[in-house]
Each structure stands twice: as structure tokens, then as C-alpha cells.
Amino acid sequence: MEIRGSTASQDLPAIFHVLAQLLAMTSKEGLLTVWDDRQKKSVYFSRRGVTLLFEQDRKSAPPAGAALVKRGRISEEDLQK
């Protein structure tokens, strides 16, 4: 499932809370990515906890999914899904 939208009018901590509850109830893992013109930050919610993935320069940084595969958090197959 993919959810997209602007956080301009939303309370970011509330989005974190709802996402964490949804993933816990469904026993799934998920990635929340927030960005602006200069930087991109991703938060990975897993059964083992929450990981912040920080990418300073959006133009030169690898995609968040590639970082998750590199760290062994997800498989290449999971990334393709």
C-alpha cells in the first residue's frame, strides 16, 4: 500500500503515530519519506524498531530503498515490491 500527500497542513508526530499503529496492527513494515527542495529523510518502521535514514543531498544520495537493502533490512525482492 502506498500513501502519498503533503504534510504542510498535517501534524508530523500524528502521522508517525498513525503509521506506527497501522503497521503494528498488520504486522508489516514500512518506510515514511519526507523531503523538501534541499534534503530528504526517511524513517523505516520495522518489527525490530524504528530507524532514521538521513540523506543530506538529494541529488547525490542513493535512494532510501537501496540503503535498506545495503543494511540488510529488506531484500532486493522486497524493494521491487
PDB file of all heavy atoms in Angstrom, residues 12-34:
ATOM      1  N   LEU A  12       3.103  16.249  11.872  1.00  0.00           N
ATOM      2  CA  LEU A  12       4.008  15.148  11.575  1.00  0.00           C
ATOM      3  C   LEU A  12       4.065  14.096  12.689  1.00  0.00           C
ATOM      4  O   LEU A  12       4.035  12.899  12.391  1.00  0.00           O
ATOM      5  CB  LEU A  12       5.396  15.675  11.229  1.00  0.00           C
ATOM      6  CG  LEU A  12       6.308  14.723  10.482  1.00  0.00           C
ATOM      7  CD1 LEU A  12       5.661  14.162   9.225  1.00  0.00           C
ATOM      8  CD2 LEU A  12       7.619  15.398  10.137  1.00  0.00           C
ATOM      9  N   PRO A  13       4.125  14.464  13.970  1.00  0.00           N
ATOM     10  CA  PRO A  13       4.105  13.424  15.009  1.00  0.00           C
ATOM     11  C   PRO A  13       2.835  12.570  14.960  1.00  0.00           C
ATOM     12  O   PRO A  13       2.888  11.363  15.199  1.00  0.00           O
ATOM     13  CB  PRO A  13       4.186  14.213  16.313  1.00  0.00           C
ATOM     14  CG  PRO A  13       4.901  15.470  15.928  1.00  0.00           C
ATOM     15  CD  PRO A  13       4.405  15.778  14.531  1.00  0.00           C
ATOM     16  N   ALA A  14       1.709  13.168  14.602  1.00  0.00           N
ATOM     17  CA  ALA A  14       0.467  12.395  14.486  1.00  0.00           C
ATOM     18  C   ALA A  14       0.552  11.407  13.326  1.00  0.00           C
ATOM     19  O   ALA A  14       0.080  10.275  13.424  1.00  0.00           O
ATOM     20  CB  ALA A  14      -0.722  13.334  14.294  1.00  0.00           C
ATOM     21  N   ILE A  15       1.188  11.815  12.232  1.00  0.00           N
ATOM     22  CA  ILE A  15       1.378  10.914  11.089  1.00  0.00           C
ATOM     23  C   ILE A  15       2.257   9.740  11.508  1.00  0.00           C
ATOM     24  O   ILE A  15       1.957   8.580  11.199  1.00  0.00           O
ATOM     25  CB  ILE A  15       1.994  11.669   9.896  1.00  0.00           C
ATOM     26  CG1 ILE A  15       0.993  12.695   9.360  1.00  0.00           C
ATOM     27  CG2 ILE A  15       2.412  10.684   8.801  1.00  0.00           C
ATOM     28  CD1 ILE A  15       1.567  13.642   8.332  1.00  0.00           C
ATOM     29  N   PHE A  16       3.344  10.005  12.239  1.00  0.00           N
ATOM     30  CA  PHE A  16       4.218   8.932  12.740  1.00  0.00           C
ATOM     31  C   PHE A  16       3.414   7.959  13.596  1.00  0.00           C
ATOM     32  O   PHE A  16       3.533   6.750  13.460  1.00  0.00           O
ATOM     33  CB  PHE A  16       5.353   9.521  13.588  1.00  0.00           C
ATOM     34  CG  PHE A  16       6.543   9.938  12.804  1.00  0.00           C
ATOM     35  CD1 PHE A  16       6.460  10.925  11.848  1.00  0.00           C
ATOM     36  CD2 PHE A  16       7.763   9.345  13.034  1.00  0.00           C
ATOM     37  CE1 PHE A  16       7.566  11.327  11.127  1.00  0.00           C
ATOM     38  CE2 PHE A  16       8.887   9.738  12.324  1.00  0.00           C
ATOM     39  CZ  PHE A  16       8.781  10.726  11.375  1.00  0.00           C
ATOM     40  N   HIS A  17       2.613   8.493  14.494  1.00  0.00           N
ATOM     41  CA  HIS A  17       1.846   7.664  15.418  1.00  0.00           C
ATOM     42  C   HIS A  17       0.859   6.766  14.667  1.00  0.00           C
ATOM     43  O   HIS A  17       0.797   5.566  14.922  1.00  0.00           O
ATOM     44  CB  HIS A  17       1.115   8.561  16.416  1.00  0.00           C
ATOM     45  CG  HIS A  17       0.306   7.815  17.413  1.00  0.00           C
ATOM     46  ND1 HIS A  17       0.883   7.087  18.431  1.00  0.00           N
ATOM     47  CD2 HIS A  17      -1.027   7.655  17.539  1.00  0.00           C
ATOM     48  CE1 HIS A  17      -0.078   6.522  19.151  1.00  0.00           C
ATOM     49  NE2 HIS A  17      -1.236   6.852  18.629  1.00  0.00           N
ATOM     50  N   VAL A  18       0.115   7.338  13.752  1.00  0.00           N
ATOM     51  CA  VAL A  18      -0.870   6.571  12.987  1.00  0.00           C
ATOM     52  C   VAL A  18      -0.183   5.509  12.136  1.00  0.00           C
ATOM     53  O   VAL A  18      -0.625   4.357  12.085  1.00  0.00           O
ATOM     54  CB  VAL A  18      -1.739   7.506  12.111  1.00  0.00           C
ATOM     55  CG1 VAL A  18      -2.586   6.721  11.129  1.00  0.00           C
ATOM     56  CG2 VAL A  18      -2.610   8.384  12.998  1.00  0.00           C
ATOM     57  N   LEU A  19       0.904   5.873  11.492  1.00  0.00           N
ATOM     58  CA  LEU A  19       1.629   4.914  10.660  1.00  0.00           C
ATOM     59  C   LEU A  19       2.168   3.766  11.504  1.00  0.00           C
ATOM     60  O   LEU A  19       2.041   2.596  11.137  1.00  0.00           O
ATOM     61  CB  LEU A  19       2.767   5.604   9.918  1.00  0.00           C
ATOM     62  CG  LEU A  19       3.604   4.729   9.001  1.00  0.00           C
ATOM     63  CD1 LEU A  19       2.740   4.088   7.917  1.00  0.00           C
ATOM     64  CD2 LEU A  19       4.724   5.527   8.371  1.00  0.00           C
ATOM     65  N   ALA A  20       2.751   4.074  12.646  1.00  0.00           N
ATOM     66  CA  ALA A  20       3.286   3.027  13.524  1.00  0.00           C
ATOM     67  C   ALA A  20       2.181   2.091  13.994  1.00  0.00           C
ATOM     68  O   ALA A  20       2.356   0.865  14.015  1.00  0.00           O
ATOM     69  CB  ALA A  20       4.001   3.653  14.716  1.00  0.00           C
ATOM     70  N   GLN A  21       1.023   2.630  14.350  1.00  0.00           N
ATOM     71  CA  GLN A  21      -0.107   1.799  14.775  1.00  0.00           C
ATOM     72  C   GLN A  21      -0.601   0.913  13.641  1.00  0.00           C
ATOM     73  O   GLN A  21      -0.853  -0.274  13.838  1.00  0.00           O
ATOM     74  CB  GLN A  21      -1.259   2.669  15.268  1.00  0.00           C
ATOM     75  CG  GLN A  21      -1.053   3.219  16.642  1.00  0.00           C
ATOM     76  CD  GLN A  21      -2.284   3.955  17.120  1.00  0.00           C
ATOM     77  OE1 GLN A  21      -3.000   4.579  16.341  1.00  0.00           O
ATOM     78  NE2 GLN A  21      -2.533   3.887  18.413  1.00  0.00           N
ATOM     79  N   LEU A  22      -0.734   1.477  12.453  1.00  0.00           N
ATOM     80  CA  LEU A  22      -1.208   0.721  11.296  1.00  0.00           C
ATOM     81  C   LEU A  22      -0.269  -0.434  10.982  1.00  0.00           C
ATOM     82  O   LEU A  22      -0.707  -1.566  10.766  1.00  0.00           O
ATOM     83  CB  LEU A  22      -1.332   1.644  10.076  1.00  0.00           C
ATOM     84  CG  LEU A  22      -1.692   0.995   8.747  1.00  0.00           C
ATOM     85  CD1 LEU A  22      -3.091   0.406   8.795  1.00  0.00           C
ATOM     86  CD2 LEU A  22      -1.585   2.000   7.621  1.00  0.00           C
ATOM     87  N   LEU A  23       1.017  -0.170  10.984  1.00  0.00           N
ATOM     88  CA  LEU A  23       1.990  -1.214  10.676  1.00  0.00           C
ATOM     89  C   LEU A  23       2.030  -2.276  11.771  1.00  0.00           C
ATOM     90  O   LEU A  23       2.157  -3.464  11.484  1.00  0.00           O
ATOM     91  CB  LEU A  23       3.370  -0.603  10.467  1.00  0.00           C
ATOM     92  CG  LEU A  23       3.475   0.308   9.240  1.00  0.00           C
ATOM     93  CD1 LEU A  23       4.801   1.040   9.226  1.00  0.00           C
ATOM     94  CD2 LEU A  23       3.283  -0.471   7.958  1.00  0.00           C
ATOM     95  N   ALA A  24       1.901  -1.872  13.029  1.00  0.00           N
ATOM     96  CA  ALA A  24       1.900  -2.838  14.130  1.00  0.00           C
ATOM     97  C   ALA A  24       0.667  -3.735  14.065  1.00  0.00           C
ATOM     98  O   ALA A  24       0.768  -4.953  14.271  1.00  0.00           O
ATOM     99  CB  ALA A  24       1.956  -2.107  15.468  1.00  0.00           C
ATOM    100  N   MET A  25      -0.484  -3.161  13.749  1.00  0.00           N
ATOM    101  CA  MET A  25      -1.721  -3.945  13.681  1.00  0.00           C
ATOM    102  C   MET A  25      -1.692  -4.957  12.544  1.00  0.00           C
ATOM    103  O   MET A  25      -2.279  -6.026  12.652  1.00  0.00           O
ATOM    104  CB  MET A  25      -2.931  -3.013  13.513  1.00  0.00           C
ATOM    105  CG  MET A  25      -3.255  -2.243  14.752  1.00  0.00           C
ATOM    106  SD  MET A  25      -4.623  -1.045  14.629  1.00  0.00           S
ATOM    107  CE  MET A  25      -5.371  -1.298  13.083  1.00  0.00           C
ATOM    108  N   THR A  26      -1.009  -4.634  11.474  1.00  0.00           N
ATOM    109  CA  THR A  26      -0.980  -5.511  10.310  1.00  0.00           C
ATOM    110  C   THR A  26       0.289  -6.360  10.252  1.00  0.00           C
ATOM    111  O   THR A  26       0.481  -7.118   9.304  1.00  0.00           O
ATOM    112  CB  THR A  26      -1.090  -4.694   9.009  1.00  0.00           C
ATOM    113  OG1 THR A  26       0.003  -3.775   8.936  1.00  0.00           O
ATOM    114  CG2 THR A  26      -2.401  -3.937   8.938  1.00  0.00           C
ATOM    115  N   SER A  27       1.152  -6.228  11.255  1.00  0.00           N
ATOM    116  CA  SER A  27       2.441  -6.952  11.312  1.00  0.00           C
ATOM    117  C   SER A  27       3.266  -6.733  10.052  1.00  0.00           C
ATOM    118  O   SER A  27       3.865  -7.649   9.510  1.00  0.00           O
ATOM    119  CB  SER A  27       2.204  -8.443  11.527  1.00  0.00           C
ATOM    120  OG  SER A  27       1.596  -8.667  12.758  1.00  0.00           O
ATOM    121  N   LYS A  28       3.267  -5.508   9.577  1.00  0.00           N
ATOM    122  CA  LYS A  28       4.029  -5.170   8.384  1.00  0.00           C
ATOM    123  C   LYS A  28       5.107  -4.159   8.724  1.00  0.00           C
ATOM    124  O   LYS A  28       5.151  -3.633   9.825  1.00  0.00           O
ATOM    125  CB  LYS A  28       3.107  -4.616   7.310  1.00  0.00           C
ATOM    126  CG  LYS A  28       2.064  -5.617   6.888  1.00  0.00           C
ATOM    127  CD  LYS A  28       1.554  -5.351   5.530  1.00  0.00           C
ATOM    128  CE  LYS A  28       0.569  -6.456   5.224  1.00  0.00           C
ATOM    129  NZ  LYS A  28       0.371  -6.667   3.875  1.00  0.00           N
ATOM    130  N   GLU A  29       5.954  -3.898   7.768  1.00  0.00           N
ATOM    131  CA  GLU A  29       6.997  -2.898   7.903  1.00  0.00           C
ATOM    132  C   GLU A  29       6.739  -1.810   6.872  1.00  0.00           C
ATOM    133  O   GLU A  29       6.037  -2.041   5.884  1.00  0.00           O
ATOM    134  CB  GLU A  29       8.368  -3.533   7.675  1.00  0.00           C
ATOM    135  CG  GLU A  29       8.662  -4.620   8.679  1.00  0.00           C
ATOM    136  CD  GLU A  29      10.042  -5.203   8.549  1.00  0.00           C
ATOM    137  OE1 GLU A  29      10.763  -4.873   7.590  1.00  0.00           O
ATOM    138  OE2 GLU A  29      10.413  -5.985   9.433  1.00  0.00           O
ATOM    139  N   GLY A  30       7.279  -0.629   7.105  1.00  0.00           N
ATOM    140  CA  GLY A  30       7.028   0.444   6.161  1.00  0.00           C
ATOM    141  C   GLY A  30       8.076   1.534   6.216  1.00  0.00           C
ATOM    142  O   GLY A  30       8.869   1.616   7.154  1.00  0.00           O
ATOM    143  N   LEU A  31       8.060   2.351   5.205  1.00  0.00           N
ATOM    144  CA  LEU A  31       9.014   3.442   5.057  1.00  0.00           C
ATOM    145  C   LEU A  31       8.241   4.742   4.863  1.00  0.00           C
ATOM    146  O   LEU A  31       7.390   4.840   3.984  1.00  0.00           O
ATOM    147  CB  LEU A  31       9.913   3.180   3.841  1.00  0.00           C
ATOM    148  CG  LEU A  31      10.989   4.199   3.551  1.00  0.00           C
ATOM    149  CD1 LEU A  31      12.070   4.149   4.623  1.00  0.00           C
ATOM    150  CD2 LEU A  31      11.601   3.917   2.186  1.00  0.00           C
ATOM    151  N   LEU A  32       8.545   5.729   5.691  1.00  0.00           N
ATOM    152  CA  LEU A  32       7.966   7.063   5.553  1.00  0.00           C
ATOM    153  C   LEU A  32       9.085   7.979   5.094  1.00  0.00           C
ATOM    154  O   LEU A  32      10.120   8.075   5.745  1.00  0.00           O
ATOM    155  CB  LEU A  32       7.399   7.557   6.886  1.00  0.00           C
ATOM    156  CG  LEU A  32       6.912   9.005   6.915  1.00  0.00           C
ATOM    157  CD1 LEU A  32       5.719   9.195   5.987  1.00  0.00           C
ATOM    158  CD2 LEU A  32       6.558   9.420   8.331  1.00  0.00           C
ATOM    159  N   THR A  33       8.889   8.639   3.957  1.00  0.00           N
ATOM    160  CA  THR A  33       9.896   9.549   3.422  1.00  0.00           C
ATOM    161  C   THR A  33       9.309  10.950   3.346  1.00  0.00           C
ATOM    162  O   THR A  33       8.219  11.140   2.827  1.00  0.00           O
ATOM    163  CB  THR A  33      10.353   9.089   2.026  1.00  0.00           C
ATOM    164  OG1 THR A  33      10.842   7.754   2.125  1.00  0.00           O
ATOM    165  CG2 THR A  33      11.449   9.982   1.485  1.00  0.00           C
ATOM    166  N   VAL A  34      10.057  11.905   3.880  1.00  0.00           N
ATOM    167  CA  VAL A  34       9.649  13.306   3.889  1.00  0.00           C
ATOM    168  C   VAL A  34      10.785  14.103   3.263  1.00  0.00           C
ATOM    169  O   VAL A  34      11.947  13.885   3.589  1.00  0.00           O
ATOM    170  CB  VAL A  34       9.398  13.800   5.334  1.00  0.00           C
ATOM    171  CG1 VAL A  34       8.958  15.251   5.339  1.00  0.00           C
ATOM    172  CG2 VAL A  34       8.379  12.915   6.037  1.00  0.00           C
TER     173      VAL A  34
END
